[in-house]
Amino acid sequence: MDKLHDIALGIIVGAAVGDALGAPLEFLLPRNRDNWVVDMIGGGVLKWKPGETTDDTAMSLAIAEMYIEKKAYHQGTVLAKWEAWGNPRPKDMGNWTHKALSKWAQYRDRSRDLRGSENPAVILLTQNPGSAGNGAVMRCMPTAVARFNDEDLLVKETTWLAEDTHPDPRCIVSCLVLNKLLRWAFDGLSKSEALDRITAEIKQLPNLEYWDVVDSAKTHPWEKWDNKGYTLDTVKCALAAWAQNDSFEEGLIKVVNRGNDADTVGAVAGSLLGAYHGFESIPQRWWDALGETMKNRLVSNANALLEVGETYGQQTKRS
């Protein structure tokens, strides 16, 4: 397997594996080290099957398949896919995502993109300020693969996809931090180099809360990894799992066993660990637990997303 495919598969599969490993631990308290979950056990509050993925993967698949069908961001397509998945409401759909998609359902004309004050999610946020959940960062990873050849376009489309449900600036920054770090794996950066680069970029922003997310990546102690659904906490914990551990398995086990919103932090950390350690670092027992249908879909999506990214880069070079 060549390096680009290893990274693309690492991102897409790593996120799904992290989601499924964390799902049974969602809403639960952190576990003692002598009682860590290390296999796909299923169960939990929402009674997951072993290896079953959640809303994180479902919404991410919709984004991936939008790129595969349209070769570009297309608001109407991704919203239609999210709405088809969300009706009837799945047991694990977040409250804010449900509100945002319900708001979108009032606007049936999908002939043009709705931006800014026309965007129903932006309207929702003005009516309910202060919401900055992790429902965008949990599923933004496909853009990092589809746009690995063009960081400017990656920034633009990552922002648009976040705004379509979670337009709070903290949600947008969370997605940009993750997708830039994922893209830089394709450039061959080491973890340390990528962390230094994102730190320099974040420190140009005035919000000190953003600074803490990246500053603490190498030092944030496991006992204080606290992820209860706030987007910046999710990224902070995922970055710590990625930066402080030398293997996919070690980092993912540590972060999901902190409980709380374990499936989402697992998806975010899994994508980062998969990007920098590669698909072949993912334990076979976790990969097999996803089942053949999901495995085939993830591999097909990862390969097709990479082809979208490669084709776009070729077009750019010819123009």
Side-chain angles (χ1 to χ4, degrees):
M1 182 183 301
D2 66 60
K3 187 66 174 175
L4 293 183
H5 280 88
D6 192 39
I7 295 169
L9 284 166
I11 291 169
I12 300 302
V13 173
V17 165
D19 176 23
L21 187 69
L25 300 171
E26 187 181 18
F27 307 123
L28 301 180
L29 295 174
R31 299 174 76 96
N32 295 326
R33 290 174 182 262
D34 60 358
N35 193 34
W36 275 355
V37 168
V38 299
D39 289 306
M40 299 283 192
I41 61 171
V45 172
L46 296 179
K47 297 179 171 53
W48 298 102
K49 298 174 185 176
E52 186 178 3
T53 56
T54 78
D55 57 334
D56 303 52
T57 300
M59 296 190 79
S60 180
L61 287 168
I63 293 174
E65 289 161 11
M66 171 202 73
Y67 278 114
I68 294 165
E69 292 172 18
K70 299 295 184 180
K71 315 305 179 190
Y73 165 83
H74 190 269
Q75 190 179 70
T77 296
V78 74
L79 284 167
K81 291 179 181 297
W82 285 339
E83 289 173 347
W85 158 75
N87 186 23
R89 181 177 178 178
K91 62 183 178 181
D92 56 330
M93 181 190 282
N95 288 332
W96 184 267
T97 297
H98 176 64
K99 290 178 182 178
L101 293 182
S102 296
K103 195 77 171 177
W104 272 105
Q106 301 172 24
Y107 297 79
R108 302 312 304 173
D109 181 7
R110 299 291 162 76
S111 62
R112 64 185 182 90
D113 290 355
L114 297 180
R115 299 263 174 258
S117 61
E118 289 188 308
N119 183 314
V122 173
I123 296 169
L124 179 65
L125 186 64
T126 62
Q127 297 167 343
N128 303 269
S131 178
N134 57 19
V137 74
M138 73 181 193
R139 39 83 168 168
C140 68
M141 306 83 170
T143 303
V145 183
R147 297 298 179 234
F148 80 91
N149 256 328
D150 191 319
E151 188 161 316
D152 289 341
L153 193 55
L154 176 143
V155 168
K156 183 183 295 184
E157 294 184 350
T158 296
T159 300
W160 289 343
L161 282 159
E163 287 175 343
D164 284 340
T165 55
H166 290 69
D168 186 287
R170 292 165 292 181
C171 301
I172 295 169
V173 168
S174 296
C175 294
L176 289 172
V177 167
L178 177 60
N179 274 351
K180 285 190 175 188
L181 289 171
L182 295 176
R183 199 197 77 77
W184 293 338
F186 289 102
D187 287 346
L189 269 64
S190 67
K191 289 185 184 181
S192 183
E193 290 169 336
L195 186 58
D196 286 347
R197 182 181 291 185
I198 201 64
T199 300
E201 289 194 9
I202 289 298
K203 291 204 167 179
Q204 296 178 32
L205 302 177
N207 188 333
L208 297 181
E209 200 173 5
Y210 299 154
W211 295 21
D212 177 61
V213 168
V214 294
D215 271 342
S216 65
K218 292 182 179 180
T219 58
H220 190 33
W222 178 83
E223 293 79 6
K224 293 185 179 180
W225 293 3
D226 186 22
N227 167 53
K228 294 178 181 176
Y230 176 44
T231 188
L232 294 181
D233 284 346
T234 297
V235 176
K236 183 175 181 177
C237 294
L239 285 181
W242 165 71
Q244 295 177 28
N245 295 284
D246 294 327
S247 75
F248 183 97
E249 183 171 10
E250 180 183 19
L252 200 58
I253 287 173
K254 286 182 177 179
V255 79
V256 300
N257 278 282
R258 291 301 295 166
N260 294 304
D261 204 353
D263 59 324
T264 294
V265 78
V268 177
S271 67
L272 283 165
L273 291 160
Y276 284 82
H277 293 283
F279 169 71
E280 295 182 357
S281 72
I282 298 173
Q284 188 69 38
R285 70 185 190 281
W286 292 351
W287 174 226
D288 288 341
L290 297 184
E292 290 304 313
T293 299
M294 179 59 74
K295 288 167 64 176
N296 290 338
R297 192 174 179 188
L298 292 169
V299 170
S300 175
N301 282 359
N303 290 334
L305 284 168
L306 186 63
E307 184 176 349
V308 170
E310 290 175 325
T311 301
Y312 179 85
Q314 293 169 0
Q315 290 173 343
T316 301
K317 290 171 185 176
R318 286 197 299 267
S319 63

